[in-house]
Amino acid sequence: MATTRGEQTDTTAAPDATDAVREELGSLRDSIDNIDAAVVHMLAERFKCTQRVGRLKADHRLPPADPAREARQIARLRELAQDAKLDPAFAEKLLNFIIAEVIRHHEQIANHTATGDGA
């Protein structure tokens, strides 16, 4: 079972931890693992779409980045995060990381298209 920073990594519980506490902890960690898997699959789907966007941009000689769209998306995601009780600054950092990766992919696709390598 994966652990995050700050979690105990050994399987021995503190003496005052009851079976019910250990069971609840296990259940919560199972939920976290399922959510992490869903996040990975959602990101994979997102990147499939952005790859198609990158090919379309390259085929029509559009720039890899779209700063106006990115700004709108960041504002939108910050609002969604706030509504969901998630730190908007964290949501923005995450989206900026994703956007940077998308732009990197779009630049690679554009370079392959320009050199005739295909992508």
Side-chain angles (χ1 to χ4, degrees), residues 18-65:
T18 66
D19 288 341
V21 170
R22 284 190 291 275
E23 187 176 320
E24 183 177 359
L25 182 59
S27 178
L28 289 167
R29 286 179 173 165
D30 288 345
S31 292
I32 290 167
D33 292 348
N34 289 336
I35 293 165
D36 288 346
V39 167
V40 167
H41 288 282
M42 296 287 286
L43 284 171
E45 285 301 311
R46 188 186 197 286
F47 277 98
K48 286 177 190 174
C49 290
T50 61
Q51 289 287 341
R52 291 175 59 197
V53 168
R55 283 190 285 280
L56 189 60
K57 285 181 172 184
D59 290 345
H60 296 278
R61 294 189 174 91
L62 297 169

Side-chain angles (χ1 to χ4, degrees), residues 54-55 57-59 61-64 103-116 119:
R55 283 190 285 280
K57 285 181 172 184
D59 290 345
R61 294 189 174 91
L62 297 169
I103 291 170
R104 188 179 72 77
H105 290 172
H106 288 184
E107 289 169 342
Q108 287 176 338
I109 293 167
N111 288 337
H112 288 289
T113 300
T115 60

Side-chain angles (χ1 to χ4, degrees), residues 49-118:
C49 290
T50 61
Q51 289 287 341
R52 291 175 59 197
V53 168
R55 283 190 285 280
L56 189 60
K57 285 181 172 184
D59 290 345
H60 296 278
R61 294 189 174 91
L62 297 169
D66 185 345
R69 161 117 172 117
E70 294 153 21
R72 287 191 307 273
Q73 284 297 95
I74 289 168
R76 179 179 160 271
L77 197 69
R78 285 185 65 91
E79 187 175 320
L80 288 170
Q82 190 167 350
D83 291 347
K85 308 288 190 259
L86 179 68
D87 179 5
F90 169 76
E92 182 173 349
K93 286 178 192 175
L94 178 61
L95 187 59
N96 279 326
F97 179 78
I98 292 169
I99 289 169
E101 187 67 6
V102 168
I103 291 170
R104 188 179 72 77
H105 290 172
H106 288 184
E107 289 169 342
Q108 287 176 338
I109 293 167
N111 288 337
H112 288 289
T113 300
T115 60
D117 291 341

